Amino acid sequence: AALQRYVADYGRKHGLEADFHPGGLDGVRLMPQTETALYRIAQEALTNVVRHASASAVSVLLDRRDGHAILVVEDDGRGFNMEEVRHSGTPAQKLGLLGMEERAALVGGTLTIESRPGAGTAVFVEVPLDGDGDGTYSHPDR
């Protein structure tokens, strides 16, 4: 719910057509560290859309597939050459990408970025669901 509100508010604030698709995780709570990592990665990805992409639309998908939580943030912006940014991008550009990768790794996940000039960017995060077998989190008072 927090991510859904964030995406809607961010879109309004920055004049983006922003939509959120909760997929198989609508109303489900994940382990707190997984929720935090996915939320922070989505924040950074959306910040990058506004700072660098010149996009008019962004979509955020949060889903459950094959024992994993999947986060996808996809924009229709100008895209970029990933290798150029990794090797010669500004420190701020590299730091944002490294930060997202580190957050995913801290919860056992992976982050993949697909982009090319003129074709937008998609950030894919895949995090295993663990804990009681499905990776969801139940509050003791429920």
Side-chain angles (χ1 to χ4, degrees), residues 7-64:
V7 170
D9 291 345
Y10 204 82
R12 278 191 297 275
K13 180 179 178 182
H14 295 285
L16 286 171
E17 182 182 321
D19 53 37
F20 178 78
H21 306 277
L25 289 170
D26 190 22
V28 173
R29 295 300 305 259
L30 303 177
M31 298 298 290
Q33 63 272 25
T34 300
E35 283 186 355
T36 299
L38 292 174
Y39 187 85
R40 297 292 185 216
I41 291 168
Q43 281 182 312
E44 179 66 25
L46 289 168
T47 297
N48 290 341
V49 169
V50 170
R51 281 189 187 155
H52 306 293
S54 298
S56 62
V58 63
S59 292
V60 178
L61 167 77
L62 184 60
D63 202 356
R64 180 188 341 207

Side-chain angles (χ1 to χ4, degrees), residues 17-135:
E17 182 182 321
D19 53 37
F20 178 78
H21 306 277
L25 289 170
D26 190 22
V28 173
R29 295 300 305 259
L30 303 177
M31 298 298 290
Q33 63 272 25
T34 300
E35 283 186 355
T36 299
L38 292 174
Y39 187 85
R40 297 292 185 216
I41 291 168
Q43 281 182 312
E44 179 66 25
L46 289 168
T47 297
N48 290 341
V49 169
V50 170
R51 281 189 187 155
H52 306 293
S54 298
S56 62
V58 63
S59 292
V60 178
L61 167 77
L62 184 60
D63 202 356
R64 180 188 341 207
R65 293 185 204 145
D66 300 325
H68 291 83
I70 307 294
L71 172 70
V72 180
V73 180
E74 187 170 17
D75 70 62
D76 68 350
R78 65 180 177 206
F80 64 97
N81 182 310
M82 185 69 178
E83 290 307 310
E84 282 181 18
V85 170
R86 282 200 187 276
H87 297 296
S88 61
T90 68
Q93 287 172 320
K94 289 191 257 189
L95 187 60
L97 296 176
L98 287 173
M100 289 190 296
E101 288 174 344
E102 286 177 7
R103 285 188 186 278
L106 284 172
V107 291
T110 58
L111 180 129
T112 305
I113 299 173
E114 293 180 2
S115 187
R116 66 178 199 273
T121 300
V123 175
F124 299 93
V125 183
E126 184 173 353
V127 177
L129 296 173
D130 51 13
D132 61 2
D134 67 359

